[in-house]
Amino acid sequence: MENRKIKWGIVGLGNIASQFASDLLLIENAELTAVASRDFSKAEQFGEKFNALRMYNSYDLLFEDPEVEIVYIATPHNSHAELSIKALENGKHVLCEKPMTLSYKDAERIIEASKKHNKFFMEAFWTRFIPSVQDVLHKINNGAIGNVNYIKADFAFYGSETENKRLFDAELGGGALFDIGVYPLFISYILLGNPKEIFASAIKHKNNIDLQTSMILQYESAQSVLHASIVSDSDMKAVISGTEGRIELNAPWFVADGYSLFKNEEKEAVFTLPTLGKGYSYEIIECQNCILNNQIESEFWSHQNCLDLSKIVEEVKSQIGLTF
């Protein structure tokens, strides 16, 4: 495999992009080549903070930059599909922040564009690559807790309508399901696959976004009980129970720094697995390895995985009556 610097561009320079860029600095063979914001002063400030070589006031200009190899898209949800496709059409690899789209149809369009232009695409489910989740998946696949038959996972916090307007903005794809509900659905999917049935219910805001959504995913011999809220709190542990024990991922489970293994109701072992940086570093490394190996998808979070999860989210969206 080649050993050279991979040249990154970032579009959409909010809080998540800042966390991502700080982790990018930790990766030896990664370079932040360009950043773009429609507010040029924001691009300048961001670029200076994270040592970007170039700053743009247009996403198109970044897509046209011949040196940029891969673009990290961290704009609001409603723009993910069009920007991902435009970047792919301009010959760029793409890492798109989750959720990759607000509809299954758009998810299909992105994957088609990735294949058509032979460029790497991955939805940025960083949780898939953190050490705790990798280790838990390995143990479960090797029978550490028998057959998984129950999962409980929450993602909930008190959101402020005044401080985080995007979160409550229907135009931008706000609400609990698409912003954070995708995480509990994700952990159920990677452990149990596609469900046989989905049951979902939500409490809505006056503008029709979901403030909190509860979901039950029914499998042949397992259930996942999942919840997302932007108006309440939870312990944010994830519990994975099997026929021979259970695993509890530390809170917040989606970036867990370890987990506990229980057998016969007793805590048998505690595993500590801190992340490098904030935890985005592992998806960065995966993207770079795929590019250097001329892959257009990751075997750990593949195109099909992206489509499967998008279809699950689409069913929940339909059941709770979300429209964008």
Side-chain angles (χ1 to χ4, degrees):
M1 190 165 67
E2 298 174 70
N3 185 19
R4 61 176 180 82
K5 281 192 181 293
I6 301 293
K7 299 176 185 297
W8 288 78
I10 300 178
V11 301
L13 306 179
N15 181 51
I16 290 176
S18 292
Q19 295 180 57
F20 181 89
S22 68
D23 275 11
L24 195 67
L25 293 173
L26 302 175
I27 309 303
E28 194 174 331
N29 64 329
E31 173 189 284
L32 184 52
T33 301
V35 298
S37 171
R38 289 173 178 145
D39 177 350
F40 188 58
S41 63
K42 192 172 185 179
E44 284 186 309
Q45 290 171 8
F46 191 100
E48 286 171 12
K49 182 177 180 181
F50 296 107
N51 304 324
L53 301 183
R54 288 184 286 285
M55 294 78 109
Y56 295 112
N57 65 351
S58 155
Y59 301 154
D60 286 342
L61 287 175
L62 186 144
F63 294 155
E64 292 163 9
D65 186 323
E67 286 195 22
V68 172
E69 292 178 78
I70 178 167
V71 180
Y72 173 59
I73 294 172
T75 54
H77 309 332
N78 64 322
S79 61
H80 287 179
E82 298 312 320
L83 291 176
S84 292
I85 291 168
K86 187 173 280 190
L88 291 162
E89 287 173 344
N90 276 270
K92 308 304 183 193
H93 305 292
V94 173
L95 175 66
C96 179
E97 194 47 62
K98 42 94 323 252
M100 61 188 278
T101 66
L102 295 175
S103 74
Y104 181 71
K105 185 178 178 181
D106 279 345
E108 288 184 309
R109 289 174 58 222
I110 294 175
I111 301 307
E112 285 170 10
S114 171
K115 290 175 179 174
K116 178 181 177 182
H117 299 286
N118 198 35
K119 292 296 172 183
F120 175 82
F121 173 85
M122 191 173 81
E123 183 180 25
F125 254 107
W126 61 319
T127 302
R128 177 64 182 86
F129 302 97
I130 64 169
S132 290
V133 169
Q134 294 274 52
D135 206 48
V136 164
L137 284 170
H138 178 74
K139 281 193 170 56
I140 289 173
N141 289 337
N142 283 283
I145 58 170
N147 296 321
V148 174
N149 53 21
Y150 171 67
I151 296 169
K152 180 193 81 71
D154 297 348
F155 194 150
F157 61 88
Y158 292 104
S160 168
E161 201 163 349
T162 52
E163 293 175 18
N164 195 341
K165 291 180 181 177
R166 178 196 63 78
L167 196 59
F168 292 83
D169 191 331
E171 290 291 317
L172 299 180
L177 173 63
F178 278 93
D179 209 72
I180 55 177
V182 291
Y183 281 97
L185 290 170
F186 156 83
I187 194 74
S188 180
Y189 169 71
I190 61 167
L191 288 165
L192 293 170
N194 290 306
K196 289 183 68 179
E197 287 184 273
I198 297 170
F199 307 94
S201 181
I203 293 173
K204 306 288 256 319
H205 187 275
K206 60 190 175 186
N207 69 0
N208 201 46
I209 65 156
D210 63 316
L211 296 171
Q212 59 186 61
T213 294
S214 293
M215 301 157 281
I216 297 174
L217 271 54
Q218 181 83 22
Y219 297 85
E220 192 68 50
S221 55
Q223 288 181 321
S224 295
V225 179
L226 315 170
H227 181 72
S229 174
I230 55 174
V231 291
S232 59
D233 208 353
S234 77
D235 63 11
M236 286 211 272
K237 284 183 179 178
V239 179
I240 305 158
S241 291
T243 52
E244 297 172 27
R246 78 178 188 273
I247 284 171
E248 292 185 3
L249 279 159
N250 295 353
W253 67 265
F254 50 88
V255 63
D257 60 1
Y259 63 94
S260 299
L261 174 65
F262 293 79
K263 290 286 185 80
N264 301 315
E265 296 302 315
E266 298 289 330
K267 188 181 287 187
E268 184 177 272
V270 175
F271 300 88
T272 302
L273 294 157
T275 60
L276 173 65
K278 297 180 183 299
Y280 296 93
S281 46
Y282 303 100
E283 68 178 1
I284 292 168
I285 292 166
E286 175 64 11
C287 289
Q288 297 201 156
N289 286 341
C290 288
I291 290 168
L292 292 170
N293 282 318
N294 298 312
Q295 297 169 231
I296 66 166
E297 61 184 314
S298 165
E299 65 179 281
F300 297 103
W301 192 243
S302 68
H303 288 172
Q304 189 60 52
N305 294 148
C306 294
L307 290 172
D308 286 348
L309 185 63
S310 180
K311 184 165 276 190
I312 292 168
V313 175
E314 184 95 335
E315 175 60 25
V316 175
K317 172 187 165 186
S318 173
Q319 287 193 24
I320 65 175
L322 279 186
T323 54
F324 297 110

